[in-house]
Amino acid sequence: MHCTVHEEMSVFPKITLRGDVKQYLGDVFKNKELLAVLGQEDAERRFEMLLSRLSHPPAFTSVRVNTHLASPEHVRRCLSEEIRKQQMNSFSSHDVPIFNHPDVPDVLLIPVIGPRVSLERHSLEVVVGAQCGNAVLRGAHVFAPGILAAPKYMKMGDVVSVFSDIEGQCTRGAKEFQGKRVFIGNGIAEMSRSDIFCTDQPIKGIGIRMTEPVYFSPSFYNVLPNQVFLQNLPSAIVSHVLQPQAGERILDMCAAPGGKTTHIAALMGDEGEVIAMDKIANKVERIKQNAQMLGLNSIKVYCFNAIKALSGDPAGSSGGGPPFPPESFDRVLLDAPCSGLGQRPNMACTWSLKEITSYQPLQRQLFTTAVKLLKRGGVLVYSTCTITLAENEEQVAWALHHFPFLSLQRQEPHVGGGGMLGAGLSHDHLKLLQRFNPVWATTEGFTLHPEEYEHTQGTKSDLIHLANKDTIGFFIAKFVKT
C-alpha cells in the first residue's frame, strides 16, 4: 500500500473558536515549559496544526467487541461482510480492511477513507446542524431531526448534496442557507421536505441516506447491536488501564452513556458488581439500555449526583445504592465532565471562556469523593476527553499535592504519548500519564487510498501506529491509594 505523507489536511477550515478561547488555548500549547523545549516557531506551528486536526475526523473508526457475547474474530468476519454490503450501494467495491489492535485485544480498527475532495456537488442542497454533520463524518446517515434546511420541492429519492451549518446560524425549515457551511457529501433523500417540516409529530428515522460522504466510514446503524460498541480508541483503553478483576466492586462515577461501564463489566466476565451513576435521568436510561443490549447483569445503575456519593454513615444507605460509606470500592473510574475540546470532528465551538474554564472545580470535587470511596490499595483512574492543562496535568499535580497517599502508576496498555509540559510535573510523572494529542498525527499521517488496501500487509504496523496517534484528544491518569 502506498501512503502519502502530509503536513496538514485543509479540507475543512480550522475549528472556529471565540477570540478569548483561542488565546487561552494558545497560551496552553505555548506555555513556558513547552517553549523552552520546542521554541516559539515550532510551538506556533503545532498549535495551528491542532486547530486544523480538531475539525477533521480521526483516521480510523474503532469498534469495541462485547467479548461477553462474541469473540473479536467472529465480529471481524461479520463486520467485513456488513461493510461489503454497504459498499455495494456506495462509491467503491474495494475491500476495506479491519485490523485487530495488537495491544487492545477487544478493539477492531477500520480505516476511514478520505478525504475525497473531487465529489460532484448537486443542485439540491440540504443543510444539517453541526452535531449531525460531525456524526456524518464518522459514518452516520442523516437522521431527520438533524435537517435544518431543504429545497422547496425535495422529494423522496432525490440525490442531494449535504452541508453542515458549523456555526448554528441556519433557521430550521429554511429552503436554502448561504451562511458559513461546509460540504460533507452526497446522499439520497429518504423523506420529502413536507415529511420533515410539515408534521405535528416528532420526526424520526433516516432523512438522507449518505452514499458519497467526504470521509467514508461504515454506518453502524442496527449493525450487530449486542456485539459491538462504537467507541473511540482512547475511551476503550481507559477500562483496560483500570484493570478490573472478576468479583470486585467497581464504581463508574459519571457513567453515561455506559460505554466504559459495560466495558468494565465485560472485562470482569460479568462477575462482580459495577455501580454506575449519573445525575441526569434520561442518561441513566441510556446506561440501562446499553447494559441490557449487551447482556450484562453485573451493572447496577443509579440516578445520583456523584459529588454526594459519600455517606457520613459507615453503614451506608439501606438500599445498597448511593450514598456509600468510605472505602467501599476496589476500583473507581472518574471519567470526568469536561470541556470536551478533544472531540473530533468539531468545526466550531461556541462556548465562552467562562464555560471552557468552569470544569476544574467540579472535577476536584468529584476526585475528592472518589478518593474517599476508594479502598486502601485500590485503583483510581481519572480521564477526560479534552486537551487543556487545567483539566488534565494540573489536576494530577493538584491531586499528588493534596492526597500524598496517592501514587501515580504505570498504565497498560500505553499507546498514547506521555503527559504535556506546563503543569510543573516531573519527567518521571509525565511518563506515567497517557495523553492522546491529535497534533502527533499531522507530521506522520497518511492519505488513505482505498484502491490500494489489498496491499496493506506490508504497512499494517504503520497503520496501527497511525491509529494510535490520530485519535480524539484524550487524557488518562492512574493512581493507587497506598
Coordinates of all heavy atoms in Angstrom, one line a residue, residues 402-436:
H402 N -2.4 17.3 47.3 CA -3.5 17.2 48.3 C -3.7 15.8 48.9 O -4.2 15.7 50.0 CB -4.8 17.8 47.7 CG -4.9 19.2 47.7 ND1 -4.2 20.0 46.7 CD2 -5.5 20.1 48.5 CE1 -4.5 21.3 47.0 NE2 -5.2 21.4 48.0
F403 N -3.3 14.8 48.1 CA -3.5 13.4 48.6 C -2.2 12.7 48.6 O -1.9 11.9 47.6 CB -4.6 12.7 47.8 CG -5.9 13.4 47.7 CD1 -6.2 14.1 46.6 CD2 -6.8 13.4 48.8 CE1 -7.4 14.8 46.5 CE2 -8.0 14.1 48.7 CZ -8.3 14.8 47.6
P404 N -1.3 13.0 49.5 CA 0.1 12.4 49.5 C 0.1 10.9 49.5 O 1.1 10.3 49.2 CB 0.8 13.0 50.7 CG -0.3 13.5 51.6 CD -1.4 13.9 50.7
F405 N -1.0 10.3 49.9 CA -1.1 8.8 49.9 C -1.5 8.2 48.5 O -1.6 7.0 48.4 CB -2.1 8.3 51.0 CG -3.4 9.0 50.9 CD1 -4.4 8.6 50.0 CD2 -3.7 10.1 51.7 CE1 -5.6 9.3 49.9 CE2 -4.9 10.8 51.6 CZ -5.9 10.4 50.8
L406 N -1.7 9.1 47.5 CA -1.9 8.6 46.2 C -0.6 8.5 45.4 O 0.3 9.4 45.6 CB -2.8 9.5 45.4 CG -4.3 9.6 45.8 CD1 -5.0 10.6 44.9 CD2 -5.0 8.2 45.7
S407 N -0.4 7.5 44.7 CA 0.9 7.4 43.8 C 0.4 7.1 42.4 O -0.5 6.3 42.1 CB 1.8 6.3 44.3 OG 1.3 5.1 44.2
L408 N 1.1 7.8 41.5 CA 0.9 7.6 40.0 C 1.4 6.2 39.6 O 2.4 5.8 40.1 CB 1.5 8.6 39.2 CG 0.8 9.9 38.9 CD1 1.6 10.9 38.0 CD2 -0.6 9.6 38.2
Q409 N 0.7 5.5 38.8 CA 1.0 4.2 38.3 C 1.3 4.1 36.8 O 0.7 4.9 36.1 CB -0.1 3.2 38.7 CG -0.4 3.1 40.2 CD 0.8 2.5 41.0 OE1 1.2 1.4 40.7 NE2 1.3 3.3 41.9
R410 N 2.0 3.1 36.4 CA 2.3 2.8 35.0 C 0.9 2.3 34.4 O 0.2 1.6 35.1 CB 3.4 1.8 34.9 CG 3.8 1.5 33.5 CD 5.2 0.7 33.6 NE 5.6 0.3 32.2 CZ 5.2 -0.9 31.7 NH1 4.5 -1.7 32.4 NH2 5.6 -1.2 30.5
Q411 N 0.7 2.7 33.2 CA -0.6 2.3 32.5 C -0.3 1.2 31.5 O 0.6 1.2 30.8 CB -1.2 3.5 31.9 CG -1.6 4.6 32.8 CD -2.3 5.8 32.1 OE1 -3.0 5.6 31.1 NE2 -2.1 7.0 32.6
E412 N -1.2 0.2 31.5 CA -1.2 -0.8 30.5 C -2.6 -1.0 29.9 O -3.5 -1.2 30.6 CB -0.8 -2.2 31.1 CG 0.7 -2.3 31.4 CD 1.6 -2.4 30.1 OE1 1.0 -2.7 29.1 OE2 2.8 -2.0 30.2
P413 N -2.7 -0.9 28.5 CA -1.7 -0.5 27.6 C -1.4 1.0 27.6 O -2.2 1.8 28.0 CB -2.3 -1.0 26.2 CG -3.8 -0.8 26.5 CD -4.1 -1.1 27.9
H414 N -0.2 1.3 27.1 CA 0.2 2.7 27.0 C 0.6 3.0 25.5 O 1.7 2.8 25.1 CB 1.4 3.0 27.9 CG 1.6 4.5 28.2 ND1 1.9 5.4 27.2 CD2 1.6 5.2 29.3 CE1 2.0 6.6 27.7 NE2 1.8 6.5 29.0
V415 N -0.4 3.3 24.7 CA -0.2 3.5 23.3 C -0.2 5.0 22.9 O 0.1 5.4 21.8 CB -1.2 2.8 22.4 CG1 -1.2 1.3 22.8 CG2 -2.6 3.3 22.6
G416 N -0.7 5.9 23.9 CA -0.6 7.3 23.6 C 0.7 7.9 24.0 O 1.7 7.1 24.2
G417 N 0.8 9.2 24.1 CA 2.1 9.8 24.5 C 2.1 10.0 26.0 O 1.1 9.7 26.7
G418 N 3.1 10.6 26.5 CA 3.2 11.0 27.9 C 2.4 12.3 28.2 O 1.8 12.9 27.3
G419 N 2.5 12.7 29.4 CA 1.8 14.0 29.7 C 2.5 15.2 29.1 O 3.6 15.1 28.6
M420 N 1.8 16.3 29.1 CA 2.3 17.5 28.4 C 3.0 18.4 29.5 O 2.6 18.6 30.6 CB 1.2 18.3 27.8 CG 1.6 19.4 26.9 SD 0.3 20.0 25.8 CE -0.5 21.2 26.9
L421 N 4.1 19.0 29.0 CA 4.8 20.0 29.9 C 3.9 21.2 30.2 O 3.1 21.6 29.3 CB 6.1 20.5 29.2 CG 7.2 19.5 29.0 CD1 8.2 19.9 28.0 CD2 7.9 19.2 30.4
G422 N 4.1 21.8 31.3 CA 3.4 23.1 31.6 C 2.7 23.1 33.0 O 2.3 24.1 33.4
A423 N 2.6 21.9 33.6 CA 2.0 21.9 35.0 C 3.0 21.6 36.1 O 2.6 21.4 37.2 CB 0.9 20.8 35.0
G424 N 4.3 21.7 35.8 CA 5.3 21.5 36.8 C 5.5 20.1 37.3 O 6.2 19.9 38.3
L425 N 5.0 19.1 36.5 CA 5.2 17.7 36.9 C 6.6 17.2 36.5 O 7.2 17.7 35.5 CB 4.1 16.8 36.2 CG 2.7 17.0 36.8 CD1 1.7 16.3 35.8 CD2 2.6 16.4 38.2
S426 N 7.1 16.3 37.2 CA 8.5 15.8 36.9 C 8.4 14.9 35.6 O 7.3 14.5 35.2 CB 9.0 14.9 38.1 OG 8.2 13.7 38.1
H427 N 9.6 14.7 35.1 CA 9.7 13.9 33.8 C 9.1 12.5 34.1 O 8.4 11.9 33.3 CB 11.1 13.8 33.4 CG 11.3 13.0 32.1 ND1 10.8 13.4 30.9 CD2 12.0 11.9 31.9 CE1 11.1 12.5 30.0 NE2 11.8 11.5 30.6
D428 N 9.5 11.9 35.3 CA 9.0 10.6 35.6 C 7.5 10.5 35.7 O 6.9 9.5 35.3 CB 9.6 10.1 37.0 CG 11.1 9.8 36.8 OD1 11.6 9.6 35.7 OD2 11.8 9.7 37.8
H429 N 6.9 11.5 36.3 CA 5.4 11.6 36.4 C 4.8 11.7 35.0 O 3.8 11.0 34.7 CB 5.0 12.7 37.3 CG 5.1 12.5 38.8 ND1 5.2 13.4 39.7 CD2 5.1 11.3 39.4 CE1 5.3 12.9 40.9 NE2 5.2 11.6 40.8
L430 N 5.3 12.6 34.2 CA 4.8 12.7 32.8 C 4.8 11.4 32.0 O 3.9 11.2 31.3 CB 5.6 13.8 32.1 CG 5.4 15.3 32.6 CD1 6.3 16.2 31.8 CD2 4.0 15.7 32.5
K431 N 5.8 10.6 32.2 CA 5.9 9.3 31.5 C 4.8 8.4 31.9 O 4.4 7.5 31.1 CB 7.3 8.7 31.8 CG 8.4 9.3 31.0 CD 9.6 8.3 30.9 CE 10.2 8.0 32.3 NZ 11.4 7.2 32.2
L432 N 4.3 8.5 33.2 CA 3.3 7.6 33.7 C 1.9 8.0 33.2 O 0.9 7.2 33.2 CB 3.3 7.6 35.2 CG 4.5 7.0 35.8 CD1 4.5 7.2 37.3 CD2 4.6 5.5 35.5
L433 N 1.7 9.3 32.7 CA 0.4 9.7 32.2 C 0.3 9.3 30.7 O 1.2 9.0 30.1 CB 0.4 11.2 32.3 CG 0.5 11.8 33.7 CD1 0.5 13.3 33.7 CD2 -0.6 11.3 34.6
Q434 N -1.0 9.4 30.3 CA -1.2 9.0 28.9 C -2.1 10.1 28.2 O -3.2 10.3 28.6 CB -1.9 7.6 28.8 CG -2.0 7.1 27.4 CD -2.2 5.6 27.3 OE1 -2.1 5.0 26.3 NE2 -2.6 4.9 28.4
R435 N -1.5 10.8 27.3 CA -2.2 11.9 26.6 C -2.2 11.6 25.1 O -1.2 11.3 24.5 CB -1.5 13.3 26.8 CG -2.2 14.4 26.1 CD -1.4 15.7 26.2 NE -1.9 16.6 27.3 CZ -2.7 17.6 27.2 NH1 -3.2 17.9 26.0 NH2 -3.1 18.3 28.3
F436 N -3.4 11.7 24.6 CA -3.6 11.5 23.1 C -3.8 12.9 22.5 O -4.8 13.6 22.9 CB -4.9 10.6 22.9 CG -4.7 9.2 23.3 CD1 -5.0 8.9 24.7 CD2 -4.3 8.2 22.5 CE1 -4.8 7.6 25.1 CE2 -4.2 6.9 22.9 CZ -4.4 6.6 24.2

